[in-house]
Amino acid sequence: MAEFTENGGLTSSALGEKATVPSDETDGKGQCEVSVSNGECGLPSDMVASAIPDSEGLETANTSMLDAKSGIPRRTSIIKDGSRQRKERKKTVSFSSMPTEKKISSASDCINAMVEGSELRKVRSNSRVYHRYFLLDADMQSLRWEPSKKESDKAKIDIKSIREVRTGKNTDTFRTNGVSDQISEDCAFSIICGENYESLDLVANSADVANIWVTGLRYLISYGKHTLNMIESSQNNLRTSWLSELFEEADVNGSKHLSLCTAVQLIKNLNPGLKNVKIELKFKELHKLKEKTGCDVSLEEFTEVFHDLCTRPEIYFLLVQFSSNKEFLDTKDLMIFLEAEQGMAQVSEDTSLEVIQKYEPSKEGQQKGWLSLDGFTNYLMSPDCHIFEPEQKTVCQDMTQPLSHYYINASHNTYLIEDQFRGPSDITGYIRALKMGCRSVELDVWDGPDNEPVIYTGHTMTSQIVFRSVIDIINKYAFVASEYPLIVCLENHCSLKQQRVMFQHLKKILGDKLYTGTPKPEDSYLPSPSALKGRILLKGKKLPPSCTSSEGEVTDEDEGAEMSQRMNIDSGEQQTVALPKKLQLSKDLSDLVTLCKSIEFKDFPMAFQNQKHWELCSFNEVFAGRCATDFPGDFVNYNKKFLARVYPSPMRIDSSNMNPQDFWKCGCQIVAMNYQTPGLMMDLNIGWFRQNGNCGYVLRPAIMREQVSYFSANTKDSVPGVSPQLLHIKIISGQNFPKPKGSGAKGDVVDPYIYVEIHGIPADCAEQRTKTVNQNGDNPLFDESCEFQINLPELAMVRFVVLDDDYIGDEFIGQYTIPFECLQPGFRHIPLQSLTGEVLPHTWLFVHVAITNRRGGGKPHKRGLSVRKGKRSREYATMRILLIKNVDDVFKTATLPLREATDLRENVQNAIVSFKELCGLSAVANLKQCILALSSRLTGPDNSPVLLFNLKDQYPSMEPQGVLPEVLKKVIMAYDTMIQTSKTLLENSEGVYERILQTQKAAMEFHENLHDLALKEGLKGRKLHKSVESFTWNITILKGQADLLKHARSEVLENLKQIHYAALTCQLAKGGGMGGGSSRGSESRVRRSLQVIPEKEQSQENITDEEN
């Protein structure tokens, strides 16, 4: 391979072998993060010594996105307000190599910065890294670097020889370099030159500097020697004409000047997040710089201040990336952006025009179909680019499943608005909870004066509210936020006399809303939320059917007594073990309880044997936690049929909250939260129930609902039969971060940093943080990426937390919590919320989200708890042995189809990853982005395409239009492999799928008699339990692998669609549309064998690399 030496030679990029997973990445000293683990930044000393013998100016590197591996302790779930203690981290510092006063927001700014030059690190394939100073010649014809041991005229690249500029670590050199894992994805970029696509691989000291070089070089590639003319002509652009129109409208006197107050207000109207004082100060600074007297503002001054305050560099860089002329997006540019990045399907130029008409502020842009930087900014900040999936804003899940198959939004001691022992009770607690979509509220009812029952926590000093007024409020607000059933948990401590009053109020006020239908013994499950729309279910004690008198005796439920005992223990009072109290219960009141009869939980075997589906157990948080730890599988199975309610420990006298995820992972439906206490735990609860239209019901993962399925709540590995997802998040920037509310007097300046947290099953819990941006809450730029493997996506949540690194008293700025399933991919804005859940005005995070089911380069990672390594590290799901011969023989028939299913899926995935890498993209890219990236390379010297897509067949083929360079031949080979493996999957998947299901069906015939069959084989005790568990495991594997194959088939069909539409969009289609069924030749019709495609083919070339 050719190599790039200091005299101008190049290192050839084979355009991809194996992608590197971005993990704890490194930055240069330009934006250096101090690692908490050792307080220093830098490559390991032995690596520096071995990698660079001359150690010539090597930039030290260190982690930027920090996680637990870097030494920052992961926060526990009991932290109430989401803040980290100061001792958990050290002060971090961001040194920017860009002047903070000067914002790079135009091609002219980028070109000027490149002419001045930057220190960049040059990365070589042999793990050597060289520190060089790169600069653009004043004539903008070549790129030079120094120092060099060769003549200066050879240490350069001609701009006209540059084929493309590639962001990230997406060349062979980066992928195979020994220090690649310590290089930040966001600071790396490559310049691809010449006919052989040779690469110069560079790392900037910060993402800001990388963006400047990438944007400037792309502009130069587009315009070459005409760059200066384009920059000059762009001065009279869409923004200028639009601002001129606004200025003239505001200049009612025609004086060609605006008063300072008018100018400030006009900019404030255009960008409401800006503070008036900042705008005014900017005008005054400009006047002082120009030595101008008076306060009037000219059009030129107005435009300059607007440009300085309202231009977002990160959005400008993004616009240049997708704009064909680097100045604005036309309808085709916007169409490509919407399809490739935002994930919109079947976008047309009409769709683009609709976006332009809606968001472009200039009349000229609207007329010509151009989206300016300001229109692009408007679009990206609009609800259309919100991170939350719009479909989830309405009820979109199946609501016809049994009630026990849903998580239910629940409140604990709803009447309390402060602490549990002395706090006031108020009906506003019910109003707030019901308006927030809560579907389970609590009433702790005691005898009150004047024969009117009252609600408060017994044995405490909490105030009282009248029972009747609470029932009135429930009647009024029960179905304001949701039409689905409301569960009223009635903890009754009243005398028979006042119970009759309770009964009268419930019947009179709630009337037909109260559900009193008798459960059917022949049913195995509760009715569905859909069947119970508009109904109120009473949860409470119930007399046995044998009771015929007007009252009877039941065991009293008294959660307040638990807390009172705890308070007495804490105060040192001696306690005696209290026996369960008995309560006389009115039969009338008892008969109102039908589907939610309260009973005491004994143990799981007894519950499985005796509990009825309409009976409900309440678990103290501590006891529920013990069940989750000691019997994780039993707890999940219990909750498939029965409702379980978990309430906070009596130790939580301050109304703090438990972590609901600890119990959701066990399948517990009703986790009662103290709504009055904001913080991390309520953020999780509110965020979780945002999905499914905030109706208060969320369907649990299938693996927790199916009668025969294996899932352990404490799994620290992949879930059997569930494909892990890879979540890639880039934190780009923030907007208008306020000072923390509880912060001491230190001015209005904040030093923000971001935590990205994953909450879910233990295997998924993780967090990473960005660097700190010093003294910038208005528009801090982070440009940092993080990546997480999500093993059970259906139960995962992502939480973004913004904190102040230089705080006094309070560090919390804002947060946003969202279920993983509700994330929209692409460039998205996140509206931040305060600690108490209010939306912070004009406060945003700007991020990029990508989700894939594959790590780069086909790196193997665990997909299940029972795998055996096959040829070349491929992992195959296997069946467990039950020691029941007949059943084991059935499961053995699945061995071959399971292997074939894995090969079909993995072959396609490996082929796709290889193709992505040859396109110069990472594993998180989609195929639309691949075709878009290729399109720039497929143009010959005469601007005619050298390669076209034939779309007449179901499987689009690449057809050369002449002699191709070697690198494009490799692309075609990788593409053909991808299409061939996709075709093989589509042709074979249905048959394999049916064989797996046949085995599952045959095995399920043994299910009912499995216990007896095991006893016949002599299995007892632990062996019997293990055999039953293995049966459940095998069924889960079979169903899961069948589902994965079915999903893979859908993905392949979607990929073929993406290729088709991308080829049309990029005008690379041969003959236009999709025709009738022409054949691709005999070779395509031959069914490929299910041989293993290697995870990575090793290059046979021996790469040498020297720095001369």
Side-chain angles (χ1 to χ4, degrees), residues 721 876-877 879 890-905 988-1004 1033-1047 1090:
Y876 297 99
M879 298 285 95
V890 170
F891 282 128
K892 281 177 186 175
T893 63
T895 303
L896 185 58
L898 286 176
R899 187 182 182 88
E900 290 177 357
T902 301
D903 284 339
L904 286 171
R905 290 188 293 106
N988 292 274
S989 58
E990 286 188 2
V992 176
Y993 179 81
E994 287 300 323
R995 286 157 61 199
I996 293 173
L997 288 189
Q998 283 172 11
T999 300
Q1000 182 188 345
K1001 185 178 179 181
M1004 283 300 293
W1033 169 276
N1034 289 349
I1035 294 295
T1036 304
I1037 289 289
L1038 290 171
K1039 187 178 187 311
Q1041 292 295 314
D1043 288 345
L1044 288 178
L1045 188 58
K1046 189 177 180 181
H1047 181 67
L1090 296 178

Side-chain angles (χ1 to χ4, degrees), residues 198-264:
E198 296 153 331
S199 72
L200 173 61
D201 300 290
L202 302 170
V203 181
N205 293 340
S206 72
D208 299 330
V209 174
N211 281 329
I212 290 169
W213 280 90
V214 169
T215 301
L217 286 169
R218 284 173 172 168
Y219 201 96
L220 288 166
I221 293 169
S222 292
Y223 292 111
K225 61 184 180 181
H226 303 296
T227 298
L228 272 178
N229 295 335
M230 283 304 303
I231 290 175
E232 289 174 8
S233 67
S234 69
Q235 299 304 313
N236 185 25
N237 58 16
L238 297 175
R239 171 180 280 181
T240 306
S241 62
W242 166 56
L243 291 178
S244 297
E245 292 170 7
L246 289 177
F247 190 91
E248 288 173 10
E249 288 176 15
D251 180 20
V252 291
N253 298 326
S255 62
K256 297 191 177 179
H257 284 82
L258 298 179
S259 67
L260 179 61
C261 181
T262 303
V264 168

Side-chain angles (χ1 to χ4, degrees), residues 732-902:
I732 302 172
S733 65
Q735 293 292 305
N736 309 313
F737 292 163
K739 188 175 75 168
K741 272 194 173 180
S743 177
K746 63 156 201 158
D748 290 329
V749 179
V750 295
D751 297 349
Y753 65 98
I754 317 294
Y755 262 100
V756 182
E757 306 169 346
I758 306 296
H759 298 267
I761 62 173
D764 291 340
C765 291
E767 62 180 21
Q768 293 190 41
R769 66 157 286 180
T770 68
K771 64 175 180 257
T772 297
V773 177
N774 277 346
Q775 299 186 11
N776 187 352
D778 294 330
N779 54 356
L781 291 174
F782 297 95
D783 271 323
E784 292 192 53
S785 299
C786 55
E787 194 168 82
F788 304 93
Q789 178 168 305
I790 312 296
N791 295 284
L792 187 57
E794 290 177 277
L795 204 56
M797 277 191 287
V798 185
R799 185 171 184 256
F800 301 88
V801 193
V802 185
L803 303 172
D804 184 4
D805 205 2
D806 187 23
Y807 65 94
I808 300 173
D810 181 18
E811 62 178 345
F812 181 86
I813 294 174
Q815 68 84 31
Y816 186 80
T817 307
I818 180 172
F820 176 86
E821 300 278 271
C822 297
L823 288 171
Q824 283 207 95
F827 290 92
R828 303 292 170 185
H829 274 88
I830 301 172
L832 292 177
Q833 298 178 337
S834 70
L835 189 64
T836 51
E838 293 90 12
V839 174
L840 295 168
H842 315 299
T843 304
W844 303 89
L845 265 185
F846 184 42
V847 302
H848 181 264
V849 177
I851 300 169
T852 182
N853 60 356
R854 186 66 167 189
R855 287 190 183 273
K859 283 188 177 179
H861 57 285
K862 294 179 181 177
R863 288 179 175 77
L865 301 179
S866 174
V867 294
R868 62 180 178 80
K869 292 201 170 182
K871 189 176 178 183
R872 303 186 190 179
S873 298
R874 181 157 292 178
E875 298 171 342
Y876 297 99
T878 58
M879 298 285 95
R880 288 181 177 177
I881 303 298
L882 278 69
L883 299 177
I884 305 174
K885 187 177 184 307
N886 291 346
V887 185
D888 286 333
D889 287 344
V890 170
F891 282 128
K892 281 177 186 175
T893 63
T895 303
L896 185 58
L898 286 176
R899 187 182 182 88
E900 290 177 357
T902 301

Side-chain angles (χ1 to χ4, degrees), residues 5 121 205 282 426 478 577 617 671 715 833 938 957 1011:
T5 63
R121 283 170 284 163
N205 293 340
K282 188 61 71 173
D426 199 286
V577 178
C617 294
V671 181
T715 181
Q833 298 178 337
L938 303 182
S957 59
H1011 193 271

